[in-house]
């Protein structure tokens, strides 16, 4: 298995509450996040989202679709969501929201591939996989800003 670690940061001219409401609603992602083909709710979990399980289907410019489930394992107020991924990717993702002059959104994604072809291609394709991830996250930043009618101040 090939391991990948990605850290993405977005800063938006919107309140933490507004950003939280959109980030904490994965079934709505296809409406605003290019590349998200579908999000199916497998388990609704608690009202806070804890225990929720969603199946994600992602596709970007590279010619493959990734499918994986994320179970929400930790929620702290409207500032943190942590989930465990299983399926074609395994690992963990953490959304952190910080309040300030803007809302800073930090996504920490630490996963490994489980598909044989991805593992075989990993050493050569790692730069393409990383580029693809960065593209998907940029699309998310711009899509979230559009959804909220907010200014995207920065993204990385």
């Amino acid at each position: 298995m090939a391991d990948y670690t990605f850290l993405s940061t977005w800063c938006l001219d919107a309140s933490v509450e507004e950003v939280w409401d959109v980030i904490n609603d994965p079934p709505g992602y296809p409406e605003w996040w290019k590349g998200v083909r579908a999000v199916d709710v497998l388990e609704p979990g608690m009202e806070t989202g804890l225990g929720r399980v969603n199946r994600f289907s992602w596709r970007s410019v590279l010619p493959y679709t990734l499918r994986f489930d994320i179970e929400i394992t930790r929620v702290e107020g409207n500032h943190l969501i942590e989930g465990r991924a299983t399926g074609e990717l395994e690992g963990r993702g953490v959304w952190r929201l910080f309040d300030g002059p803007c809302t800073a959104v930090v996504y920490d994604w630490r996963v490994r591939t489980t598909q044989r072809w991805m593992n075989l291609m990993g050493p050569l394709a790692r730069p393409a996989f990383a580029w693809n991830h960065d593209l998907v996250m940029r699309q998310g930043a711009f899509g979230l800003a559009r959804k909220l009618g907010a200014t995207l101040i920065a993204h990385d």
Side-chain angles (χ1 to χ4, degrees):
M1 287 191 217
D3 294 324
Y4 296 87
T5 300
F6 301 106
L7 189 64
S8 302
T9 304
W10 309 338
C11 292
L12 296 118
D13 185 18
S15 71
V16 165
E17 292 78 14
E18 291 170 311
V19 174
W20 175 265
D21 287 346
V22 177
I23 295 291
N24 196 31
D25 179 31
Y29 286 12
E31 297 170 15
W32 59 270
W33 196 331
K34 186 176 179 180
V36 181
R37 296 297 187 228
V39 179
D40 299 310
V41 178
L42 303 181
E43 172 61 47
M46 300 170 64
E47 187 176 324
T48 62
L50 191 63
R52 178 178 60 216
V53 180
N54 291 313
R55 176 160 294 150
F56 291 82
S57 295
W58 295 81
R59 184 168 181 118
S60 187
V61 295
L62 295 181
Y64 62 87
T65 300
L66 274 176
R67 290 179 187 85
F68 52 88
D69 299 345
I70 295 185
E71 177 185 2
I72 302 304
T73 57
R74 184 168 62 139
V75 177
E76 293 181 9
N78 60 358
H79 288 83
L80 183 138
I81 303 170
E82 182 172 339
R84 181 175 52 89
T86 56
E88 294 180 348
L89 295 177
E90 292 183 350
R92 123 184 132 76
V94 181
W95 288 105
R96 287 185 175 87
L97 280 63
F98 299 92
D99 201 2
C102 68
T103 295
V105 180
V106 177
Y107 190 61
D108 183 3
W109 186 227
R110 297 169 190 248
V111 292
R112 62 190 158 280
T113 55
T114 63
Q115 296 296 295
R116 179 174 162 77
W117 74 267
M118 289 183 89
N119 292 334
L120 290 172
M121 296 290 296
L124 294 173
R126 179 176 290 275
F129 292 161
W131 173 84
N132 194 61
H133 173 81
D134 291 344
L135 173 65
V136 165
M137 294 307 289
R138 274 194 309 279
Q139 291 171 335
F142 284 103
L144 179 58
R146 273 192 307 276
K147 168 87 174 161
L148 294 171
T151 301
L152 179 62
I153 298 168
H155 62 88
D156 181 30

